[in-house]
């Protein structure tokens, strides 16, 4: 069974994550804080998937690990900005923002596991 058949394609998952973040950001009210934090989380969430693609096209194990570590770092950064956005906005945005926060933490854990397995 391929990764696409079992429903677990990490590249697709990172794309869905970045898209969901962008759609969430569009719903938030306009404020200086939302604007600044939104720019940051858009960059970091998109970088997760972009670096995962780079990892899969790597030139060797060292390059692969470097890009996976960037994926993990960007996932952690996304979690930071999402948590701030949840905490500064009205409760109506908390559920969706928290789901995205949790997904960023899950992605971080996945990348950490891949890094740990690869370094063995």
């Amino acid at each position: 069974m391929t990764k696409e058949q079992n429903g677990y394609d990490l590249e697709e998952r990172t794309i869905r994550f970045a898209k969901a973040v962008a759609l969430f950001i569009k719903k938030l009210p306009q404020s200086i804080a939302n604007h600044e934090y939104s720019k940051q989380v858009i960059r970091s969430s998109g970088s997760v998937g972009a670096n995962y693609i780079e990892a899969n096209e790597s030139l060797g194990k060292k390059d692969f690990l470097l890009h996976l570590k960037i994926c993990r770092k960007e996932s952690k950064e996304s979690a930071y900005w999402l948590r701030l956005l949840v905490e500064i906005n009205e409760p109506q945005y908390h559920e969706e923002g928290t789901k995205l926060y949790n997904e960023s933490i899950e992605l971080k854990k996945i990348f950490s596991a891949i890094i740990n397995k690869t370094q063995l």
Side-chain angles (χ1 to χ4, degrees):
M1 185 177 281
T2 68
K3 61 185 177 181
E4 290 82 9
Q5 289 171 327
N6 71 11
Y8 191 76
D9 181 348
L10 192 51
E11 189 174 315
E12 183 62 30
R13 185 170 175 175
T14 61
I15 289 170
R16 284 194 316 265
F17 173 64
K19 179 181 174 183
V21 168
L23 293 173
F24 172 65
I25 295 306
K26 286 173 66 173
K27 297 174 187 175
L28 295 176
Q30 293 294 315
S31 72
I32 292 171
N34 280 345
H35 179 72
E36 292 302 318
Y37 296 164
S38 295
K39 287 193 316 188
Q40 295 288 346
V41 77
I42 290 290
R43 285 188 190 102
S44 61
S45 65
S47 182
V48 174
N51 277 286
Y52 185 66
I53 290 168
E54 289 291 321
N56 286 329
E57 299 296 324
S58 65
L59 301 172
K61 185 176 177 179
K62 195 173 181 180
D63 192 37
F64 179 72
L65 283 169
L66 170 67
H67 285 287
L68 282 180
K69 287 177 181 179
I70 294 170
C71 291
R72 180 176 61 187
K73 179 183 85 67
E74 296 292 343
S75 297
K76 288 169 71 173
E77 184 178 336
S78 295
Y80 176 81
W81 296 118
L82 286 163
R83 181 174 171 198
L84 278 172
L85 286 165
V86 166
E87 291 186 9
I88 67 167
N89 279 287
E90 299 298 319
Q92 70 195 59
Y93 303 104
H94 291 187
E95 183 179 347
E96 185 176 1
T98 300
K99 284 180 184 176
L100 291 168
Y101 169 84
N102 290 337
E103 176 65 0
S104 64
I105 296 299
E106 284 295 313
L107 287 168
K108 179 194 76 81
K109 290 176 182 177
I110 291 167
F111 292 122
S112 291
I114 297 169
I115 290 165
N116 291 337
K117 275 179 112 173
T118 304
Q119 288 179 335
L120 294 178

